[in-house]
Amino acid sequence: MQISRQSRVRRLINLTPLVDVVFLLLIFFMLASSFLDIRQVSISVLRPGAPIGTIDDDVRIRIGTGTILTLNGKPADLKMIEAWVRLRLRLKPGQRIDVVPDTKVPLQRVVDVLDRLRASGAKSIALERPVAPIK
Amino acid sequence: MKIPRPRRRKSGDNVTPLINVVFLLLIFFMLTSSFVQPELFPVAPPQSISEAMPGDKNRLTILVSADGRLALGKTAVEAGDIGAEVAKRKRANRNLRIEVKADGKVPAGRILALLDRLRAVGVNRIGLTTARRAR
């Protein structure tokens, strides 16, 4: 007796339109989405006439063009500044740190310095305008 | 002469694994992405290690492009008018928080000038938008 071969089950649903739509959705999400992880750094804006600390009390960091940095008028590097800021904050928690970038310094460099200050524990950081460019 | 019956063409490649992968990609993009907010001009904020999240709905974003254009929310503003505009919106919403989203290449002088204008209308704290630096 010959057994008839079972006919293959026909595929019932055509998947092509589904795949088309899924591809379109995929392209839409790939183009419309952003993976930029947005954060922020908060900065105090000093009121005009706000008391500016005395020289001894002050932590004032100037950011010059290139890699120039000064701490209270003396040349410094980021490590020295971090150590000084930690010390000042231990003596006086809540100490405000003034950052004075030269006008031509790109914002990215300013933010790099702000990051280091935050990492040293500074909570209150103010940006100030330079009076004269660093020599 | 017996001519062999043409064999039925094999159905095309199996597309199931492809569809599986495409679905996975689609789900990945849908879950991990956030949508790009349309902005007047492209701004690449500076990178930072800061983890502070930007504020809630009470924020007002000031965009500063690398070539110095300014925008308040979604409208372009001249540098001279920014103080008045912010003051107007601040009167309407007292809890307004100002966020400055500036390009990383913007010279610091431009940001300082903007801060001066904000300071003049009584803004005493701003958030500087940054992008999280990949570790």
Side-chain angles (χ1 to χ4, degrees), chain A residues 34 37 39-41 46 105 108, chain B residues 34 50 108 119 128 130 132:
Chain A
S34 150
D37 212 350
R39 293 288 190 276
Q40 70 160 13
V41 176
L46 298 182
V105 173
Q108 178 67 65
Chain B
S34 58
S50 169
R119 183 181 305 166
L128 190 64
T130 58
R132 196 164 146 211

Side-chain angles (χ1 to χ4, degrees), chain A residues 53-64:
Chain A
T54 58
I55 297 297
D56 299 342
D57 204 24
D58 222 14
V59 180
R60 181 173 293 242
I61 295 151
R62 286 196 67 162
I63 309 172

Side-chain angles (χ1 to χ4, degrees), chain B:
Chain B
M1 195 181 100
K2 202 178 167 188
I3 299 168
R5 221 175 162 193
R7 276 172 68 190
R8 264 183 82 188
R9 255 183 84 204
K10 240 181 92 192
S11 65
D13 296 322
N14 186 5
V15 288
T16 319
L18 173 74
I19 297 174
N20 289 344
V21 172
V22 169
F23 260 115
L24 283 177
L25 281 173
L26 181 63
I27 291 166
F28 168 75
F29 277 103
M30 283 171 72
L31 294 184
T32 57
S33 64
S34 58
F35 284 101
V36 184
Q37 296 284 334
E39 282 167 353
L40 271 184
F41 37 77
V43 170
Q47 294 195 337
S48 153
I49 54 168
S50 169
E51 291 289 338
M53 296 297 283
D56 51 5
K57 52 185 182 272
N58 277 326
R59 65 181 161 160
L60 174 65
T61 306
I62 300 176
L63 286 175
V64 187
S65 77
D67 56 2
R69 283 173 293 166
L70 287 176
L72 196 61
K74 282 172 189 161
T75 47
V77 184
E78 291 297 315
D81 304 336
I82 198 106
E85 282 291 325
V86 169
K88 203 162 74 186
R89 297 192 192 205
K90 217 169 176 307
R91 272 197 298 276
N93 179 1
R94 303 204 76 193
N95 299 323
L96 203 64
R97 288 174 44 84
I98 308 291
E99 286 202 9
V100 176
K101 186 176 181 184
D103 199 284
K105 294 192 204 81
V106 171
R110 208 164 272 160
I111 301 296
L112 292 169
L114 176 64
L115 291 189
D116 277 349
R117 294 205 156 94
L118 293 176
R119 183 181 305 166
V121 295
V123 174
N124 46 26
R125 206 164 179 80
I126 63 148
L128 190 64
T129 303
T130 58
R132 196 164 146 211
R133 191 190 292 273
R135 300 218 176 180

Side-chain angles (χ1 to χ4, degrees), chain A residues 15-123:
Chain A
L15 282 179
T16 319
L18 173 76
V19 177
D20 288 349
V21 171
V22 169
F23 259 117
L24 282 178
L25 281 173
L26 180 65
I27 291 167
F28 168 74
F29 276 101
M30 282 172 72
L31 296 182
S33 58
S34 150
F35 290 97
L36 198 62
D37 212 350
I38 291 295
R39 293 288 190 276
Q40 70 160 13
V41 176
S42 68
I43 297 169
S44 311
V45 181
L46 298 182
R47 252 175 271 116
I52 293 171
T54 58
I55 297 297
D56 299 342
D57 204 24
D58 222 14
V59 180
R60 181 173 293 242
I61 295 151
R62 286 196 67 162
I63 309 172
T65 44
T67 54
I68 304 168
L69 280 173
T70 70
L71 170 64
N72 292 343
K74 298 186 188 77
D77 61 14
L78 273 174
K79 278 213 175 101
M80 275 170 68
I81 290 174
E82 270 185 16
W84 180 251
V85 167
R86 274 182 215 279
L87 184 74
R88 290 298 310 178
L89 287 170
R90 206 171 301 151
L91 295 174
K92 187 181 168 193
Q95 161 91 49
R96 193 187 74 220
I97 314 290
D98 296 340
V99 176
V100 189
D102 251 20
T103 48
K104 289 201 184 79
V105 173
L107 185 63
Q108 178 67 65
R109 170 132 176 83
V110 179
V111 170
D112 289 342
V113 174
L114 296 183
D115 274 351
R116 297 292 283 265
L117 294 177
R118 291 241 171 246
S120 329
K123 294 272 187 319

